[in-house]
Amino acid sequence: MRETVSGLPPAFWWLWTSTLVNRLGGFVATFMALYLTLDRGYSATYAGLVAALHGLGGVLSSLGAGVMTDRLGRRPTLLIAQSSTAVSVALLGFVRDPVAIAGVAFLVGMASNASRPAVQAMMADIVRPEDRIRAFSLNYWAINLGFAVSTMAAGFIAEHSYAAGFLLEAVMTMICAIVVFVKLPESKPVQVAGEEHEDSVGLGTVLRDGRFMAVVGLSFLVALIFQQGAVGLPVAMGAAGFTPADYGMAIAVNGVLIVVLQIPVTRFIEHRDPGRLLVVSALLAGYGFGLTAFAGSVGVFALTVCVWTLAEIVNAPTQTGLVVQLSPAHGRGRYQGMYTMSWAVAALVAPLMSGLVIDRYGAEWLWGTCAVVGTVAGLGYALLMRRPPTETPALTTPTPVDPAPATLAPADLAPAPVPAGVVVPVPVPVPVVEASAVVDGASAGKGRASGRGGEGRSEVSAS
């Protein structure tokens, strides 16, 4: 534990704390359906529509928040996203009209998802490249720890008052905004005069980046598999005669394993080949869900959850680190926004996929489909990672002074010709000035004139 948490900058830990507090207050995403059907008395169809609008808001805000992260900066985007989330969540607890509820749920989805590109971009800015896998793992650990605690607490709160749950989440989210405002400086790479890079990355640039878009597509496939844990698994278990409590016991294994194993597994994978890790995680995810076809008891269902949870622990930090490697430092927001959108779209498609397959062909076909999708994703990662990616450095570090001494040509040392009629005085001995002083001054001037020699330095110090 000491080795895992050591060496990371204080700004990372404030960002980590903000993530943990935000997840501790999670209430809307967990109990939205129960609130609408049990407390407000609406139909399951209406609850599904609201959930879809909430997800659609997240899809649309992914790209917009990515652009804001690059143009406005990481810190302003976080402040806007978290403040908007707090206000919209509080409002959701008080609106009663069905159309108003649907509209506010859409706004909540937009605001809550807008912080993700900024968080990931800021984390990449402030953490050294060699520590990023570890940092992303710790952040993912905080997300799941907060989610595990919030789901248990939210259950007790919901028994007394759903409105109290909405207000609690609003307060916790506003605390996150305050932490960002007080403790986190802006980490966006600063443009150096004369460098042409600030406006060189747009959404079109991201879409034309074939290798990165391949990663986005593979990420969508993997996310489609993982979403079945919250969508296809409860439906299939219910159809097989298992109770909601049985599903709760099986799925609880996911959160417990992530909390217990995320740090030790991170130590194991930190310096290993990311390509192999992504292939293994895709196969484990696909075949972990594929094994569900043979489950006939809660214990076996829990065992399958163990398999795909291990895939989740490996995949999440590794894939996020790969996205950072493929993203130019001045375009991280847009790249992270596109990556975040792949998960948001998967959250919309997964319910349609699982419902259609289970209704028409049966749950066994859904789990077989997951195995096929995992195999395709694994092959895709194997082909994509045959050539390791290289990270585009930030162009923000001044050029280092050239340490090599300058050489003077013999012609430069020859005396200048004396015009006719000019009297030349007898030379008087003077103190000798070492040439190194002149050379150092010339080299320093050269270093200031050139603007690109320091590209290879770490962008952390420049941030």
Side-chain angles (χ1 to χ4, degrees):
M1 174 69 76
R2 187 183 304 113
E3 293 177 353
T4 300
V5 302
S6 63
L8 296 172
F12 165 80
W13 289 112
W14 285 115
L15 189 60
W16 182 91
T17 301
S18 174
T19 298
L20 178 62
V21 172
N22 190 26
R23 294 300 176 178
L24 285 173
F27 184 86
V28 172
T30 307
F31 286 91
M32 173 69 80
L34 293 177
Y35 166 70
L36 294 175
T37 55
L38 297 181
D39 189 69
R40 307 307 311 163
Y42 294 113
S43 65
T45 302
Y46 174 77
L49 174 63
V50 172
L53 288 173
H54 182 273
L56 179 62
V59 172
L60 297 179
S61 69
S62 298
L63 297 179
V67 175
M68 287 174 59
T69 298
D70 286 337
R71 289 189 175 179
L72 297 182
R74 284 65 159 140
R75 186 170 177 264
T77 303
L78 274 175
L79 289 173
I80 293 172
Q82 292 177 343
S83 301
S84 302
T85 301
V87 173
S88 58
V89 166
L91 181 61
L92 186 61
F94 292 99
V95 292
R96 295 292 181 266
D97 182 73
V99 177
I101 291 175
V104 176
F106 175 78
L107 295 178
V108 171
M110 288 190 66
S112 60
N113 202 59
S115 62
R116 294 180 183 179
V119 168
Q120 293 168 345
M122 178 176 279
M123 200 167 293
D125 293 338
I126 63 181
V127 176
R128 296 180 301 176
E130 59 269 25
D131 293 333
R132 283 180 186 151
I133 295 295
R134 183 157 53 101
F136 288 133
S137 292
L138 288 169
N139 190 64
Y140 192 67
W141 183 75
I143 290 172
N144 284 275
L145 177 61
F147 178 76
V149 175
S150 68
T151 51
M152 290 186 292
F156 292 104
I157 295 172
E159 291 183 357
H160 297 86
S161 172
Y162 282 94
F166 288 113
L167 290 177
L168 179 61
E169 178 167 350
V171 171
M172 299 286 273
T173 307
M174 189 59 70
I175 290 175
C176 295
I178 294 172
V179 169
V180 171
F181 180 77
V182 174
K183 291 294 184 179
L184 284 176
E186 177 56 57
S187 66
K188 177 185 174 183
V190 179
Q191 183 178 5
V192 177
E195 291 175 351
E196 319 176 312
H197 66 79
E198 187 63 30
D199 299 324
S200 61
V201 176
L203 289 177
T205 308
V206 180
L207 293 172
R208 290 190 297 270
D209 190 338
R211 191 174 193 188
F212 175 76
M213 291 306 298
V215 171
V216 171
L218 295 173
S219 169
F220 168 76
L221 294 180
V222 173
L224 201 62
I225 298 173
F226 285 131
Q227 288 291 335
Q228 300 308 322
V231 177
L233 185 59
V235 174
M237 290 185 69
F242 292 94
T243 65
D246 293 332
Y247 168 73
M249 291 176 61
I251 201 64
V253 175
N254 174 256
V256 172
L257 282 182
I258 290 177
V259 172
V260 172
L261 295 181
Q262 185 71 62
I263 291 178
V265 170
T266 297
R267 294 289 300 161
F268 179 76
I269 70 173
E270 188 174 3
H271 300 294
R272 298 183 182 273
D273 179 19
R276 293 182 180 179
L277 293 175
L278 290 171
V279 171
V280 170
S281 65
L283 294 177
L284 281 177
Y287 287 96
F289 276 98
L291 290 174
T292 310
F294 304 99
S297 66
V298 176
V300 179
F301 276 111
L303 182 61
T304 64
V305 172
C306 291
V307 177
W308 57 260
T309 297
L310 182 60
E312 186 179 356
I313 291 173
V314 173
N315 180 271
T318 306
Q319 190 158 247
T320 307
L322 176 62
V323 171
V324 173
Q325 282 186 290
L326 294 174
S327 309
H330 51 284
R332 281 180 180 149
R334 291 175 174 86
Y335 274 73
Q336 290 289 351
M338 185 66 71
Y339 168 66
T340 301
M341 191 184 71
S342 68
W343 283 81
V345 173
L348 282 179
V349 174
L352 301 176
M353 167 186 166
S354 60
L356 180 64
V357 174
I358 290 176
D359 287 342
R360 291 196 175 186
Y361 306 104
E364 292 79 7
W365 281 87
L366 175 63
W367 309 130
T369 302
C370 287
V372 172
V373 173
T375 302
V376 172
L379 291 174
Y381 281 123
L383 294 174
L384 185 69
M385 298 298 287
R386 287 183 301 176
R387 179 171 55 89
T390 55
E391 182 175 344
T392 304
L395 307 180
T396 55
T397 308
T399 304
V401 176
D402 187 358
T407 56
L408 300 178
D412 296 329
L413 301 176
V418 179
V422 176
V423 179
V424 180
V426 178
V428 178
V430 296
V432 177
V433 180
E434 295 187 9
S436 60
V438 179
V439 172
D440 289 344
S443 300
K446 177 184 177 182
R448 287 188 295 269
S450 174
R452 301 183 62 86
E455 293 180 10
R457 286 190 179 183
S458 169
E459 69 249 26
V460 176
S461 60
S463 302

